[in-house]
Amino acid sequence: WLAYESNESGTAEVYVEPFPRTGQRHQISRNGGSRPVFFPDGSRLFFDNNAGPAVQLYSTNLRTQPAFTFTEPAPLPITGFTQPMGTYRRQWDITPDGTRFIATFTGATVQPRIEIVSNWLRN
């Protein structure tokens, strides 16, 4: 399965379709969507609403067997991260084990600094 963003309707939306292509395509987002990412086991799909400073993450549950189905996308309680409109590079991601999100946050009171984290692969 392939998840992607297309603006052919005039608004960026998220779609999922089988790979190789069969002509079957499912529009996942309803009011704008960008930068889709599958959960590691493929059972969920995450995307953002491409709303610049008001960016919001959404999630939907997916099933591909016996037929493709998905739930209505629901907002996640992750807000305030940086995702400038028109930026194709995703400023957020999910960890490979699917337990955490990583996002870029900015703030006027944050001073530039370097943090060194050792043994970050250990739990």
Side-chain angles (χ1 to χ4, degrees):
W1 292 89
L2 179 68
Y4 61 94
E5 167 187 343
S6 172
N7 66 355
E8 66 187 72
S9 68
T11 301
E13 298 289 357
V14 171
Y15 298 88
V16 173
E17 66 180 67
F19 185 82
R21 295 178 93 173
T22 64
Q24 181 184 38
R25 174 170 100 155
H26 307 277
Q27 182 177 338
I28 305 298
S29 60
R30 299 289 179 231
N31 296 308
S34 291
R35 297 169 279 278
V37 175
F38 283 106
F39 189 75
D41 70 3
S43 66
R44 294 175 79 185
L45 183 72
F46 303 100
F47 61 91
D48 70 63
N49 63 347
N50 198 29
V55 67
Q56 174 77 51
L57 284 179
Y58 286 81
S59 172
T60 182
N61 296 323
L62 305 173
R63 291 190 60 158
T64 59
Q65 295 296 326
F68 184 87
T69 60
F70 64 97
T71 59
E72 186 67 27
L76 296 176
I78 303 170
T79 61
F81 60 93
T82 303
Q83 186 62 63
M85 287 186 75
T87 302
Y88 295 109
R89 290 177 288 140
R90 196 172 60 245
Q91 301 295 314
W92 58 272
D93 208 345
I94 186 168
T95 57
D97 63 2
T99 60
R100 293 181 177 89
F101 282 93
I102 298 169
T104 304
F105 290 83
T106 60
T109 60
V110 175
Q111 297 296 318
R113 66 179 189 225
I114 296 174
E115 289 188 31
I116 299 172
V117 179
S118 61
N119 298 321
W120 67 280
L121 289 175
R122 290 181 26 192
N123 289 332

